[in-house]
Amino acid sequence: MKFALHFGNNTFPDFAGAARLARLAEAAGFDSVLAVDHVGFPDNYSSTYPYSATGRLPVGRGGAFPDPLIWIAYAAAVTTRLRFLTGVVILPQRDPLVLAKQVATLDYMSGGRFELGIGVGWLKEEFQAMGVPFERRGRRADEYIVAMKALWAEDGATFSGEFVSFKEVSCNPKPIGRVPIVVGGHSEAAAKRAGRLGDGFFPSIGSQVDTFPLFDVARRAAAEAGRDPAAIEMIAGCPDLLPSSTVEPRAAIEERRRRGVDRIVLPVGPFMPNLEESLVRFGDTVIRPHAEL
């Protein structure tokens, strides 16, 4: 089983904090750290935040919220093994050629330690502020994934779609190997997108609905697309592993494994304020003793 820490960039927004978290996570044996994405928060919005019982974002207007790609570049620079995942970039809001360049550069310079987590977004007012249509954002995201893969695969790439088209374009440097695409979201559409186009599926750890049935939706979509369902990495949370839990770690991990989980993501907040002590203990009592699960 692999383990990851979530909400790195908005919890530790400056360089000192990013370096501290990344080094501690790597030393403790975590596989990866996640960074979240929002370009801006409108002061007034009626959209429902789907990952909180209140339907509202748990952040205020003045909180530091670094761009995930830039934050990851800093954190990657002080580590050698730790992987990094956007959890998630709101893909329809990004220019796919610019993002393809940023992702490839980040993966290249980190030695192949980057994973692109993508979602289609929920905050309509943010899309409006950016001048990006909220409607058909899922279709736009699908097309952007294919277009970016074409740019990463070869020089002189050509792509013709509804939302993006280019002819004989080269984008370098190329990623080291292949950048895994992890699809986030708590809907059947997201699960099907993961099955058709993704390398992993990550329903948010804060979802207010049971997301485990979506794993089967993703696997069926992969099979229907002629892909290997077992090759889609399933990612989920596990509250029973947080520091406040009294559940025996092996039982919690085995339960997640039975449900098809390949990587467990935990929010970093509950490990604070004694981050050093908490992460060392987690590495010694959870990660290393259960590496074989």
Side-chain angles (χ1 to χ4, degrees), residues 246-257:
T246 58
V247 175
E248 198 277 322
R250 178 170 290 269
I253 296 169
E254 288 179 342
E255 184 273 339
R256 283 296 188 260
R257 175 61 79 190

Side-chain angles (χ1 to χ4, degrees), residues 40 42 124-132:
K124 183 176 182 179
E125 291 81 358
E126 183 181 22
F127 278 77
Q128 292 172 335
M130 297 179 67
V132 177

Side-chain angles (χ1 to χ4, degrees), residues 167-281:
K167 183 177 181 180
E168 297 178 356
V169 172
S170 299
C171 178
N172 287 292
K174 296 287 188 285
I176 295 178
R178 180 174 53 84
V179 175
I181 302 290
V182 177
V183 177
H186 61 287
S187 65
E188 285 203 7
K192 291 177 180 178
R193 180 171 296 111
R196 294 194 315 271
L197 299 170
D199 301 287
F201 178 45
F202 176 38
S204 173
I205 59 177
S207 177
Q208 302 301 298
V209 299
D210 181 10
T211 56
F212 281 101
L214 294 175
F215 285 178
D216 290 333
V217 175
R219 294 187 184 101
R220 286 197 299 270
E224 291 168 0
R227 308 178 70 208
D228 179 7
I232 309 298
E233 181 187 21
M234 301 300 172
I235 305 171
C238 186
D240 287 339
L241 288 179
L242 294 175
S244 60
S245 175
T246 58
V247 175
E248 198 277 322
R250 178 170 290 269
I253 296 169
E254 288 179 342
E255 184 273 339
R256 283 296 188 260
R257 175 61 79 190
R258 286 194 298 271
R259 302 193 74 169
V261 175
D262 300 298
R263 183 174 5 174
I264 290 173
V265 175
L266 301 171
V268 68
F271 290 92
M272 299 168 66
N274 302 314
L275 188 67
E276 284 80 1
E277 178 183 340
S278 296
L279 292 186
V280 168
R281 183 185 305 114

Side-chain angles (χ1 to χ4, degrees), residues 117-171:
I118 65 96
V120 301
W122 60 273
L123 186 52
K124 183 176 182 179
E125 291 81 358
E126 183 181 22
F127 278 77
Q128 292 172 335
M130 297 179 67
V132 177
F134 187 69
E135 294 73 24
R136 306 186 71 217
R137 64 195 185 283
R139 180 74 172 263
R140 184 183 295 270
D142 289 352
E143 191 170 295
Y144 284 6
I145 291 172
V146 179
M148 289 190 298
K149 287 182 176 181
L151 291 167
W152 296 332
E154 61 183 358
D155 287 337
T158 296
F159 182 86
S160 180
E162 180 181 356
F163 304 102
V164 58
S165 296
F166 49 84
K167 183 177 181 180
E168 297 178 356
V169 172
S170 299
C171 178

